Amino acid sequence: MLKVGEKRRVVSVVFGAETPTKKVEPPRVVETPRPLWPLWLAGAGLVSAGAGVFLQLRTSAEIRDLRATCAPTCDEGDVSRLRRQYWFAGGLYGLSALALGAAAYAWFATEKTTIAMGPTVGGAWVTVALRF
């Protein structure tokens, strides 16, 4: 029986009837390591943040140039292009925050899964231990 709020509890599942009549060898335990995709997601988040910083700094430099050369009569196409670049940089920051948050959650919320297998007289049994 699983209840809300329970954490780090091992749950065993046995398939089939287990009626050994002779000594059964100890189970072989296989632990799966943490997945690597949260690290890739964190890397993508860092790249996204770096691209956002680069784009924002480059856009700021172009705005300074426009203010120094043509303000207040600058071409509306240049001004709207720089506005779009600022918005895009903000989107990259948001994407970075989402990716880093999801990567942190996935990395710290997942633990190793243990699978134990062993023979019985009537066949084999498998125990899957999930920690949550």
Side-chain angles (χ1 to χ4, degrees):
M1 176 70 91
L2 301 175
K3 296 179 184 172
V4 175
E6 290 182 335
K7 293 184 177 181
R8 302 190 188 281
R9 178 176 157 201
V10 176
V11 178
S12 296
V13 179
V14 178
F15 297 98
E18 186 176 339
T19 56
T21 57
K22 61 181 181 178
K23 184 177 179 183
V24 177
E25 64 184 59
R28 185 181 65 166
V29 177
V30 178
E31 289 192 3
T32 58
R34 287 183 181 208
L36 291 180
W37 66 267
L39 296 177
W40 287 99
L41 191 58
L46 291 175
V47 167
S48 176
V53 168
F54 173 76
L55 184 60
Q56 185 175 5
L57 291 175
R58 191 181 81 181
T59 304
S60 296
E62 289 183 35
I63 288 174
R64 279 193 305 274
D65 290 343
L66 281 181
R67 284 185 182 153
T69 59
C70 66
T73 59
C74 295
D75 181 34
E76 185 60 36
D78 289 337
V79 173
S80 64
R81 178 180 56 85
L82 294 176
R83 281 190 190 125
R84 280 193 308 271
Q85 286 180 358
Y86 258 128
W87 278 100
F88 192 69
L92 287 172
Y93 291 144
L95 181 65
S96 173
L98 285 174
L100 290 173
Y105 176 77
W107 182 258
F108 293 114
T110 58
E111 291 191 21
K112 293 182 178 179
T113 302
T114 304
I115 301 173
M117 297 175 275
T120 62
V121 174
W125 58 270
V126 176
T127 301
V128 178
L130 302 173
R131 296 182 185 97
F132 52 94

